[in-house]
Amino acid sequence: MHTRTLRSDVQGLRGIAVAAVVLDHAFHWPSGGFLGVDVFFVLSGFVITAGLLRERARSGRIDLRAFAVRRVRRLAPAAMLVLVTTTAAAWVLLPATRFGSVATDALWSALAVQNWRLASEGTDYFAATTSASPFQHFWSLGVEEQFYLVLPVLMLLLLGRSAGTGRSAEVGRAGLTTVVIAVLTICSLAWAFLAVTRDPGAAYFSTATRAWELGLGVVVALLVRRGRALRPLLAEVLVVIGSVAIIVSIVIGRESIGVPAPLAVVPTIGTALVLIAGTGGPRGVRAAAPLRWRPLVGLGAISYSLYLWHWPFIVLLPLFTSLPMPAIVALSLLAAIASYATVETAFRHRGLVSTLRENRLRLQLGGLTVLTVLTLITVSGTAERLKPLPAVPAAAADAGPAEDDDAFPALRARADAVAAGLAARAWPDTLTPSADAISAAGYADSLTTASDWASTIGCSRIGADWRAAGCTWGPEAETSTDIVLAGDSTGAFSAPGWRALADVSEAGVRVRNAAEIGCPFSTTALRSDAATCATHNAEVLAELERTRPDVLVVTNRFWDENDPSLESIDQDAYQDGIREMIEAARVHVGRVVVVPATPPGYAPTSCTAGTKGPQDCLTSDGVARSQMRALTSALRGVEGTEVLDTTPLWCAFGSCPLLIGDVLTRFDPVHVTPEASHASAPALLELLRQQGILPGVARSTP
């Protein structure tokens, strides 16, 4: 179907949909921007079905071969260009381990089955701590192509040929087709509701749970074809209701409601209402005038190319340049314009030579745009590599009082190592863990099951027997300080440091790991495994009452408004939940020490890839310090409870390096690497002694 035959309001809806998706991916706003894909599905079902019905009315039949050729001409050239270009860029910019996964994604995307690969791997579309594939967005194209393997055949079987049949027979066939597809659509919707409760990750990508959205567009096209034009007032009302439903869903939608059902029901019905109302003609409904706004219609015209290009730009370009995200989005828009003007135009119709001749000026402008984009990227990346590096901090002499050097040599050595990390210009060859390791699929899970750290961190897996002897470390002696470690995954991955501390005989501590991945030590119920976490925390309280340890160490994730698991939980409520849990535990322990998680920062998989170096990965300690102050304030008045300032272990001069020694401090934006946790143990021991939490040398006082 040629773009010029499309209703302008349909193109406007496409413009809204692609703008919502791009803004969500780039800026995490609007919160329901991902629903743009659901709007696309309805529009696609409507447009494709309308084209098939016109073809049947014109020629008397649906030509499956011609339909397939049109789909290939329309979609394949631009998609193949993105696949080849992105794969080449990934080969240059990504570590070998991650590139292998990306190359596999490219193959699955080319075969239009990327959605099933993502579903089979348990990909979480909304995960905040994983490195997304630059081809992840191809999942929606896979859903569409799988749907269109079935739809034309089904319509051909139900409608048959139109030649030689009477009007009553045609009406009967059309009615039967509408009913059959409507029933199948309802079945898909029902399955979506059920699947979301069982496996929300797989439900997000599944063709079976998405078919109802395309089917809704199909049903609308069938009804519109048979029905009469709506009364003007009714059409105006439907457009207003439908437009409001789409916009409100996109602005306030949250994935926690359930995707694709029930969350996508409102915007898809809204899209259907606009489609039904606009059948009286492109200018027949005044309420649809905003949808016919020329810039929005133009955005809709390039929506396919923009959807293809924006995500690889967002994922890969930051590995080469430090351009701000608005600039990256602008470059992807230019690439989309060039792709539309050249590749889409040249291959969409038959007669490549004549098409090239007729669109010579457009192709020249498209080529010029491509050169402009490449030049801007190259200049930006080169300038980034040539810009002067920030001044190296003046030794670590200012990191702590000189009089403490002899009393706390490990803290001094740690300060020197942090300062050296701030000054590092290149990743060492002995980087631990390696960039390839942290980029491998399932790295975090492997740490709990199949690594050298599994005997330590594995105690924190959901369902693990954390009370087993293997989850308690250190000497069992009357003089030992008994410590229980509680918290979520940030506490779990810090356990190697506490185990190393327990293994030091002169430390005199015995540590039990009661942290559980996904379960903050808090009374606040999170989205994930709320019942499991409540049960686990109750068991921890019971164990504290039974054993009466000297110190309870609590390490929870920092509150983050962009963390999906903390959605709808504000910072005050989150910290109140921690306070309530600590108050319940306080009567059973000698003292409570809140040990904050490692300061959050850039995703290491991005910082260690491409042309990035350690200087590109420095982050401020501002988030960590502000949240420590908030925690301290929230816990004020809880006797025997304090918040330990651990930023000296990870930061200096207001900045936190990703590299200390030859060790990466984090393997994702929030979790410490086991190696870094282990390496911090000597300094942690002295910090605990310095603050009087463990017996030993305390800070000298005047």
Side-chain angles (χ1 to χ4, degrees):
M1 187 174 186
H2 303 338
T3 302
R4 62 176 177 270
T5 67
L6 283 177
R7 288 164 31 183
S8 56
D9 60 338
V10 171
Q11 290 290 61
L13 286 172
R14 280 179 165 171
I16 291 175
V18 76
V21 171
V22 172
L23 289 173
D24 181 31
H25 285 167
F27 307 108
H28 307 294
W29 182 92
S31 61
F34 55 89
L35 292 171
V37 171
D38 304 83
V39 174
F40 269 129
F41 283 153
V42 179
L43 295 174
S44 176
F46 176 81
V47 170
I48 295 301
T49 304
L52 291 173
L53 293 174
R54 280 197 301 272
E55 178 189 27
R56 183 174 179 275
R58 183 178 61 252
S59 65
R61 67 191 182 95
I62 294 175
D63 188 335
L64 297 179
R65 181 179 179 278
F67 173 79
V69 170
R70 287 196 302 271
R71 292 294 292 176
V72 170
R73 284 182 177 276
R74 170 71 178 88
L75 303 177
M80 289 301 114
L81 177 62
V82 171
L83 288 170
V84 171
T85 304
T86 303
T87 302
W91 181 73
V92 173
L93 296 173
L94 295 179
T97 300
R98 191 175 173 201
F99 173 73
S101 176
V102 168
T104 303
D105 285 334
L107 177 60
W108 285 70
S109 298
L111 297 175
V113 287
Q114 172 70 342
N115 61 314
W116 292 114
R117 169 171 165 79
L118 295 172
S120 65
E121 291 192 335
T123 302
D124 182 355
Y125 178 85
F126 302 102
T129 59
T130 57
S131 298
S133 164
F135 298 120
Q136 181 167 297
H137 63 317
F138 270 77
W139 75 268
S140 63
L141 304 181
V143 169
E144 284 197 34
E145 294 318 301
Q146 293 157 35
F147 183 84
Y148 293 129
L149 287 176
V150 177
L151 178 66
V153 177
L154 181 61
M155 292 184 63
L156 179 62
L157 293 174
L158 293 172
L159 291 173
R161 291 175 173 268
S162 63
T165 59
R167 176 172 176 76
S168 61
E170 278 295 297
V171 172
R173 288 180 178 179
L176 175 64
T177 303
T178 303
V179 170
V180 170
I181 295 180
V183 169
L184 293 174
T185 298
I186 293 171
C187 290
S188 171
L189 177 59
W191 176 246
F193 273 96
L194 182 62
V196 164
T197 62
R198 293 183 173 182
D199 188 350
Y204 188 91
F205 297 111
S206 171
T207 305
T209 59
R210 293 288 187 169
W212 68 271
E213 297 173 308
L214 291 142
L216 179 60
V218 174
V219 171
V220 170
L222 289 166
L223 292 174
V224 165
R225 188 75 175 178
R226 296 177 57 207
R228 300 176 181 177
L230 299 177
R231 292 184 178 183
L233 180 58
L234 179 58
E236 300 285 350
V237 171
L238 291 183
V239 168
V240 171
I241 294 174
S243 300
V244 169
I246 294 169
I247 299 301
V248 170
S249 297
I250 288 174
V251 171
I252 69 173
R254 298 288 190 277
E255 70 273 10
S256 58
I257 297 174
V259 186
L263 181 58
V265 171
V266 173
T268 52
I269 291 179
T271 305
L273 293 178
V274 175
L275 292 174
I276 292 171
T279 56
R283 299 185 182 277
V285 183
R286 285 177 295 177
L291 297 176
R292 299 192 293 267
W293 184 43
R294 281 194 172 186
L296 192 60
V297 172
L299 189 62
I302 65 167
S303 59
Y304 176 60
S305 283
L306 181 56
Y307 183 79
L308 287 176
W309 283 109
H310 83 282
W311 187 241
F313 271 68
I314 289 172
V315 172
L316 295 179
L317 202 54
L319 305 182
F320 179 70
T321 175
S322 293
L323 283 173
M325 189 54 68
I328 291 175
V329 171
L331 288 175
S332 71
L333 180 61
L334 289 175
I337 294 171
S339 179
Y340 173 77
T342 55
V343 179
E344 284 194 59
T345 299
F347 290 94
R348 181 176 297 183
H349 313 299
R350 293 182 179 180
L352 178 60
V353 175
S354 60
T355 299
L356 294 175
R357 188 182 301 114
E358 293 171 3
N359 296 275
R360 182 178 302 169
L361 178 59
R362 176 183 287 187
L363 293 171
Q364 289 173 343
L365 291 175
L368 180 61
T369 304
V370 171
L371 291 176
T372 301
V373 171
L374 291 176
T375 300
L376 289 173
I377 292 174
T378 302
V379 170
S380 172
T382 302
E384 183 69 21
R385 304 278 71 78
L386 296 178
K387 74 178 182 180
L389 292 171
V392 179
D398 298 330
E403 63 267 21
D404 286 341
D405 283 2
D406 294 336
F408 304 110
L411 276 175
R412 173 58 55 184
R414 184 69 176 183
D416 291 340
V418 171
L422 293 174
R425 266 48 175 177
W427 301 112
D429 294 336
T430 55
L431 184 65
T432 305
S434 68
D436 285 349
I438 64 172
S439 299
Y443 174 72
D445 289 339
S446 72
L447 292 177
T448 68
T449 57
S451 71
D452 293 339
W453 307 103
S455 62
T456 302
I457 307 173
C459 298
S460 299
R461 288 184 294 110
I462 293 177
D465 184 8
W466 56 273
R467 284 166 290 201
C471 297
T472 300
W473 316 301
E476 186 173 1
E478 291 185 3
T479 57
S480 295
T481 300
D482 288 330
I483 297 175
V484 172
L485 174 62
D488 58 16
S489 56
T490 57
F493 286 105
S494 70
W498 292 98
R499 183 168 188 172
L501 188 150
D503 288 340
V504 177
S505 58
E506 60 268 24
V509 298
R510 182 173 172 81
V511 179
R512 169 169 289 180
N513 182 8
E516 180 150 320
I517 293 173
C519 294
F521 194 65
S522 169
T523 60
T524 303
L526 305 188
R527 285 179 50 208
S528 57
D529 297 310
T532 301
C533 292
T535 300
H536 173 75
N537 285 330
E539 291 174 351
V540 173
L541 289 177
E543 187 69 8
L544 294 177
E545 182 178 10
R546 187 183 70 83
T547 58
R548 302 280 176 170
D550 300 298
V551 180
L552 171 65
V553 170
V554 178
T555 299
N556 289 326
R557 74 190 77 184
F558 286 117
W559 178 85
D560 181 358
E561 62 182 350
N562 295 318
D563 188 334
S565 64
L566 297 176
E567 183 184 345
S568 75
I569 300 174
D570 62 28
Q571 186 171 4
D572 289 341
Y574 180 64
Q575 291 172 347
D576 286 345
I578 296 174
R579 177 190 174 99
E580 290 170 2
M581 186 62 73
I582 288 176
E583 286 178 330
R586 176 65 188 86
V587 296
H588 307 309
V589 301
R591 67 193 303 177
V592 178
V593 180
V594 177
V595 178
T598 310
Y602 296 112
T605 49
S606 298
C607 275
T608 57
T611 58
K612 297 285 187 180
Q615 290 291 319
D616 299 299
C617 307
L618 302 180
T619 55
S620 170
D621 67 356
V623 172
R625 290 194 178 278
S626 66
Q627 295 219 24
M628 279 191 290
R629 287 193 295 269
L631 278 170
T632 301
S633 176
L635 295 171
R636 186 173 292 120
V638 182
E639 184 181 354
T641 301
E642 61 188 288
V643 178
L644 181 67
D645 182 3
T646 57
T647 51
L649 302 182
W650 311 104
C651 313
F653 314 103
S655 294
C656 310
L658 183 60
L659 179 72
I660 299 179
D662 61 354
V663 176
L664 286 175
T665 59
R666 289 175 285 100
F667 63 83
D668 67 17
V670 298
H671 293 107
V672 66
T673 62
E675 292 85 355
S677 175
H678 187 274
S680 71
L684 174 62
L685 174 60
E686 290 192 352
L687 185 62
L688 292 169
R689 286 175 169 172
Q690 184 188 68
Q691 301 302 317
I693 296 169
L694 291 181
V697 180
R699 176 185 288 277
S700 58
T701 55

PDB file of all heavy atoms in Angstrom, residues 266-279:
ATOM      1  N   VAL A 266      -6.678   0.043  26.766  1.00  0.00           N
ATOM      2  CA  VAL A 266      -7.203   1.408  26.613  1.00  0.00           C
ATOM      3  C   VAL A 266      -6.642   2.096  25.372  1.00  0.00           C
ATOM      4  O   VAL A 266      -7.407   2.604  24.543  1.00  0.00           O
ATOM      5  CB  VAL A 266      -6.934   2.233  27.888  1.00  0.00           C
ATOM      6  CG1 VAL A 266      -7.323   3.692  27.670  1.00  0.00           C
ATOM      7  CG2 VAL A 266      -7.713   1.655  29.054  1.00  0.00           C
ATOM      8  N   PRO A 267      -5.305   2.171  25.183  1.00  0.00           N
ATOM      9  CA  PRO A 267      -4.814   2.872  23.981  1.00  0.00           C
ATOM     10  C   PRO A 267      -5.175   2.172  22.676  1.00  0.00           C
ATOM     11  O   PRO A 267      -5.359   2.845  21.650  1.00  0.00           O
ATOM     12  CB  PRO A 267      -3.293   2.908  24.189  1.00  0.00           C
ATOM     13  CG  PRO A 267      -3.005   1.784  25.126  1.00  0.00           C
ATOM     14  CD  PRO A 267      -4.193   1.719  26.034  1.00  0.00           C
ATOM     15  N   THR A 268      -5.286   0.840  22.671  1.00  0.00           N
ATOM     16  CA  THR A 268      -5.654   0.158  21.429  1.00  0.00           C
ATOM     17  C   THR A 268      -7.116   0.416  21.069  1.00  0.00           C
ATOM     18  O   THR A 268      -7.445   0.635  19.902  1.00  0.00           O
ATOM     19  CB  THR A 268      -5.408  -1.356  21.547  1.00  0.00           C
ATOM     20  OG1 THR A 268      -6.039  -1.854  22.732  1.00  0.00           O
ATOM     21  CG2 THR A 268      -3.931  -1.670  21.602  1.00  0.00           C
ATOM     22  N   ILE A 269      -7.989   0.415  22.063  1.00  0.00           N
ATOM     23  CA  ILE A 269      -9.392   0.759  21.792  1.00  0.00           C
ATOM     24  C   ILE A 269      -9.488   2.220  21.356  1.00  0.00           C
ATOM     25  O   ILE A 269     -10.257   2.565  20.450  1.00  0.00           O
ATOM     26  CB  ILE A 269     -10.263   0.494  23.034  1.00  0.00           C
ATOM     27  CG1 ILE A 269     -10.376  -1.015  23.277  1.00  0.00           C
ATOM     28  CG2 ILE A 269     -11.647   1.099  22.866  1.00  0.00           C
ATOM     29  CD1 ILE A 269     -11.188  -1.393  24.499  1.00  0.00           C
ATOM     30  N   GLY A 270      -8.692   3.079  21.998  1.00  0.00           N
ATOM     31  CA  GLY A 270      -8.673   4.476  21.575  1.00  0.00           C
ATOM     32  C   GLY A 270      -8.261   4.610  20.117  1.00  0.00           C
ATOM     33  O   GLY A 270      -8.855   5.396  19.357  1.00  0.00           O
ATOM     34  N   THR A 271      -7.253   3.862  19.703  1.00  0.00           N
ATOM     35  CA  THR A 271      -6.813   3.885  18.309  1.00  0.00           C
ATOM     36  C   THR A 271      -7.927   3.405  17.389  1.00  0.00           C
ATOM     37  O   THR A 271      -8.181   3.993  16.324  1.00  0.00           O
ATOM     38  CB  THR A 271      -5.571   3.002  18.131  1.00  0.00           C
ATOM     39  OG1 THR A 271      -4.551   3.421  19.042  1.00  0.00           O
ATOM     40  CG2 THR A 271      -5.037   3.085  16.709  1.00  0.00           C
ATOM     41  N   ALA A 272      -8.613   2.344  17.792  1.00  0.00           N
ATOM     42  CA  ALA A 272      -9.716   1.818  16.988  1.00  0.00           C
ATOM     43  C   ALA A 272     -10.822   2.853  16.824  1.00  0.00           C
ATOM     44  O   ALA A 272     -11.402   3.004  15.733  1.00  0.00           O
ATOM     45  CB  ALA A 272     -10.261   0.545  17.636  1.00  0.00           C
ATOM     46  N   LEU A 273     -11.129   3.589  17.883  1.00  0.00           N
ATOM     47  CA  LEU A 273     -12.182   4.606  17.798  1.00  0.00           C
ATOM     48  C   LEU A 273     -11.809   5.708  16.811  1.00  0.00           C
ATOM     49  O   LEU A 273     -12.651   6.169  16.027  1.00  0.00           O
ATOM     50  CB  LEU A 273     -12.435   5.202  19.184  1.00  0.00           C
ATOM     51  CG  LEU A 273     -13.040   4.268  20.238  1.00  0.00           C
ATOM     52  CD1 LEU A 273     -13.195   4.995  21.568  1.00  0.00           C
ATOM     53  CD2 LEU A 273     -14.374   3.708  19.767  1.00  0.00           C
ATOM     54  N   VAL A 274     -10.563   6.146  16.826  1.00  0.00           N
ATOM     55  CA  VAL A 274     -10.116   7.177  15.885  1.00  0.00           C
ATOM     56  C   VAL A 274     -10.200   6.659  14.457  1.00  0.00           C
ATOM     57  O   VAL A 274     -10.621   7.376  13.541  1.00  0.00           O
ATOM     58  CB  VAL A 274      -8.685   7.633  16.218  1.00  0.00           C
ATOM     59  CG1 VAL A 274      -8.177   8.613  15.162  1.00  0.00           C
ATOM     60  CG2 VAL A 274      -8.632   8.278  17.590  1.00  0.00           C
ATOM     61  N   LEU A 275      -9.813   5.399  14.247  1.00  0.00           N
ATOM     62  CA  LEU A 275      -9.873   4.815  12.906  1.00  0.00           C
ATOM     63  C   LEU A 275     -11.312   4.740  12.407  1.00  0.00           C
ATOM     64  O   LEU A 275     -11.596   5.054  11.245  1.00  0.00           O
ATOM     65  CB  LEU A 275      -9.248   3.419  12.917  1.00  0.00           C
ATOM     66  CG  LEU A 275      -7.737   3.359  13.152  1.00  0.00           C
ATOM     67  CD1 LEU A 275      -7.268   1.912  13.290  1.00  0.00           C
ATOM     68  CD2 LEU A 275      -6.990   4.051  12.015  1.00  0.00           C
ATOM     69  N   ILE A 276     -12.214   4.332  13.266  1.00  0.00           N
ATOM     70  CA  ILE A 276     -13.625   4.235  12.871  1.00  0.00           C
ATOM     71  C   ILE A 276     -14.186   5.613  12.565  1.00  0.00           C
ATOM     72  O   ILE A 276     -14.896   5.816  11.575  1.00  0.00           O
ATOM     73  CB  ILE A 276     -14.445   3.559  13.992  1.00  0.00           C
ATOM     74  CG1 ILE A 276     -14.039   2.091  14.127  1.00  0.00           C
ATOM     75  CG2 ILE A 276     -15.944   3.664  13.707  1.00  0.00           C
ATOM     76  CD1 ILE A 276     -14.643   1.402  15.339  1.00  0.00           C
ATOM     77  N   ALA A 277     -13.847   6.588  13.394  1.00  0.00           N
ATOM     78  CA  ALA A 277     -14.408   7.929  13.228  1.00  0.00           C
ATOM     79  C   ALA A 277     -13.891   8.637  11.986  1.00  0.00           C
ATOM     80  O   ALA A 277     -14.579   9.489  11.426  1.00  0.00           O
ATOM     81  CB  ALA A 277     -14.093   8.766  14.461  1.00  0.00           C
ATOM     82  N   GLY A 278     -12.718   8.297  11.553  1.00  0.00           N
ATOM     83  CA  GLY A 278     -12.109   9.019  10.440  1.00  0.00           C
ATOM     84  C   GLY A 278     -12.440   8.496   9.073  1.00  0.00           C
ATOM     85  O   GLY A 278     -11.840   8.913   8.081  1.00  0.00           O
ATOM     86  N   THR A 279     -13.396   7.591   8.977  1.00  0.00           N
ATOM     87  CA  THR A 279     -13.686   6.978   7.678  1.00  0.00           C
ATOM     88  C   THR A 279     -14.496   7.874   6.758  1.00  0.00           C
ATOM     89  O   THR A 279     -14.673   7.565   5.594  1.00  0.00           O
ATOM     90  CB  THR A 279     -14.473   5.668   7.872  1.00  0.00           C
ATOM     91  OG1 THR A 279     -15.660   5.942   8.636  1.00  0.00           O
ATOM     92  CG2 THR A 279     -13.628   4.646   8.589  1.00  0.00           C
TER      93      THR A 279
END
